[in-house]
Amino acid sequence: MTGNASSLRTLPWSARPAARTWRCAATPAEVRDFHSSLPGYSPTPLTDLPTLAAELGVGRVFVKDESCRLGLPAFKALGASWAVHRTLAERARRHSEPGPFTLVTATDGNHGRAVARMARLLGQRAHVFVPRGVHPQAVAAITAEQAKVTEVPGPYDEAVRLAAEAAAGPDAVLVQDTAWPGYEEIPGWIVEGYTTLCTEIDEQLAAEGIEEGPDLVSVPVGVGSLAQAVVTHYRSRPSGPAPALLSVEPEAAACVLKSLVLGEPVSVTTGETSMAGLNCGTPSSIAWPCLQSGLDAAVAIPDADSTRAAADLAAFGVSSGPCGAAALAGVRAALNGVGAEERRTALGLGPSSVVVLLSTEGPAANPHPRSPTES
């Protein structure tokens, strides 16, 4: 399983080795306590894959398997549950008798389903806007949570705009996992929720005798909220070794990579990709400062690489969809092909390094986007 399509061409890549010296404030400790109190909570598996370690020329490779998180097939439930919890607490503080309201969001699949699930469990309503390209199976999963679904004949950014408009009334609240100037509090809570995933990794590695943590974490990126959580977690440590952090995006929607290259947040026109959950054209406004300062490197990959990585992970017993498998595809792209030694050096990797891949979803979480001929 050596080599890939990326080894035959110039790799879309950006690196900033000084990122490991940057520090930021930590996430509140009560986030993990909240998740631990939820019915059905348990840490997701961290699977050791020695065959991949041998392929990549490192000491250990672990995959964080998010194919079943709080009963849903992706990590998104961590952010949605904490943000909805905080939103309800704020409404209770501001209103003596808060009545039912509607949780509104836009989604490529997983976040919207997680918000809809929380609304259903808490006796609230949900309205989810879905952009073009999301498979009917993913839409049906959201509808099954008793949410109202509006399909948008435009890209993700347009769905976000329409969701924000729909949430403007007094009986609705926008629970969006991307931020922009003037809308940052709830996206910040979502990011806080995601850090539970990293806390679990630390505990699981310690149980393996790896007290110092990973040397590299590879994270799939859409608008950058999960990557912001990963950066916040690992760059808030006051001392000790800091891991390299690698973001991975589809070539069809590499908004973070392009922003890092240009040194400022920019929007890109997205195309079709099997990595539907990563098909986002604009970085989150609150994620961008963390990503610019705290990411060591960013890479963009073609669909074929993530498809192959998903098949390989399945052969190892790890259930992963195209978005989750992007973490492996990105590391493979970085460590193979022309310039691989320079990229390996930039990431600080050696033969004893510990690599963690964040497999953010299972294969059924976000099916391939429908083709233009599908209705």
Side-chain angles (χ1 to χ4, degrees):
M1 286 185 287
T2 57
N4 59 17
S6 298
S7 65
L8 305 177
R9 60 192 174 81
T10 301
L11 185 68
W13 167 266
S14 176
R16 183 181 175 274
R20 264 159 278 179
T21 65
W22 183 73
R23 293 293 179 269
C24 62
T27 299
E30 61 263 30
V31 177
R32 172 63 185 284
D33 295 336
F34 165 77
H35 285 134
S36 297
S37 72
L38 294 177
Y41 168 80
S42 63
T44 53
L46 188 70
T47 304
D48 190 2
L49 296 179
T51 303
L52 279 182
E55 175 198 327
L56 297 171
V58 297
R60 307 280 293 273
V61 172
F62 294 90
V63 179
K64 184 64 168 169
D65 181 357
E66 291 292 309
S67 60
C68 185
R69 170 66 78 172
L70 291 169
L72 293 174
F75 76 101
K76 293 285 190 176
L78 290 173
S81 60
W82 176 247
V84 171
H85 167 74
R86 290 297 308 272
T87 298
L88 289 172
E90 282 298 301
R91 286 183 70 87
R93 184 179 65 82
R94 295 172 184 172
H95 306 281
S96 57
E97 296 183 9
F101 63 101
T102 302
L103 303 175
V104 184
T105 195
T107 186
D108 280 314
N110 296 323
H111 171 71
R113 186 178 177 186
V115 170
R117 171 69 63 87
M118 290 302 301
R120 180 172 64 81
L121 292 177
L122 296 170
Q124 307 295 338
R125 300 179 296 267
H127 186 182
V128 180
F129 288 76
V130 178
R132 68 166 180 250
V134 176
H135 197 281
Q137 195 174 324
V139 176
I142 298 170
T143 303
E145 300 291 348
Q146 301 176 14
K148 176 182 177 182
V149 174
T150 297
E151 297 191 57
V152 177
Y156 174 80
D157 288 358
E158 175 68 5
V160 171
R161 184 185 68 80
L162 293 174
E165 290 180 357
D171 296 325
V173 61
L174 185 67
V175 183
Q176 196 60 55
D177 55 349
T178 188
W180 53 87
Y183 180 74
E184 296 179 331
E185 184 175 52
I186 290 176
W189 292 337
I190 290 173
V191 170
E192 288 178 354
Y194 294 157
T195 59
T196 288
L197 185 156
C198 299
T199 303
E200 292 175 359
I201 290 172
D202 290 345
E203 295 167 353
Q204 290 165 320
L205 288 179
E208 293 278 344
I210 305 172
E211 297 286 348
E212 63 274 18
D215 297 298
L216 171 67
V217 179
S218 178
V219 53
V221 169
V223 299
S225 295
L226 176 60
Q228 180 188 354
V230 172
V231 169
T232 300
H233 179 81
Y234 288 108
R235 301 296 185 242
S236 62
R237 296 177 171 180
S239 61
L245 305 177
L246 172 69
S247 71
V248 185
E249 296 170 282
E251 288 184 341
C255 62
V256 169
L257 174 58
K258 184 171 183 180
S259 297
L260 291 171
V261 170
L262 295 177
E264 61 181 0
V266 296
S267 296
V268 301
T269 300
T270 60
E272 295 296 327
T273 174
S274 62
M275 294 170 274
L278 308 182
N279 195 11
C280 306
T282 305
S284 169
S285 66
I286 59 171
W288 168 247
C290 291
L291 305 186
Q292 184 182 34
S293 298
L295 279 177
D296 289 77
V299 64
I301 58 169
D303 283 9
D305 285 8
S306 69
T307 299
R308 173 176 167 257
D312 290 342
L313 288 172
F316 294 132
V318 176
S319 181
S320 184
C323 294
L328 170 57
V331 171
R332 279 176 163 168
L335 302 187
N336 287 299
V338 177
E341 287 307 313
E342 291 88 346
R343 293 192 292 271
R344 190 179 291 264
T345 299
L347 295 171
L349 294 183
S352 63
S353 295
V354 175
V355 175
V356 172
L357 311 174
L358 303 188
S359 179
T360 51
E361 63 170 30
N366 221 334
H368 292 335
R370 65 186 113 188
S371 70
T373 59
E374 289 183 286
S375 60

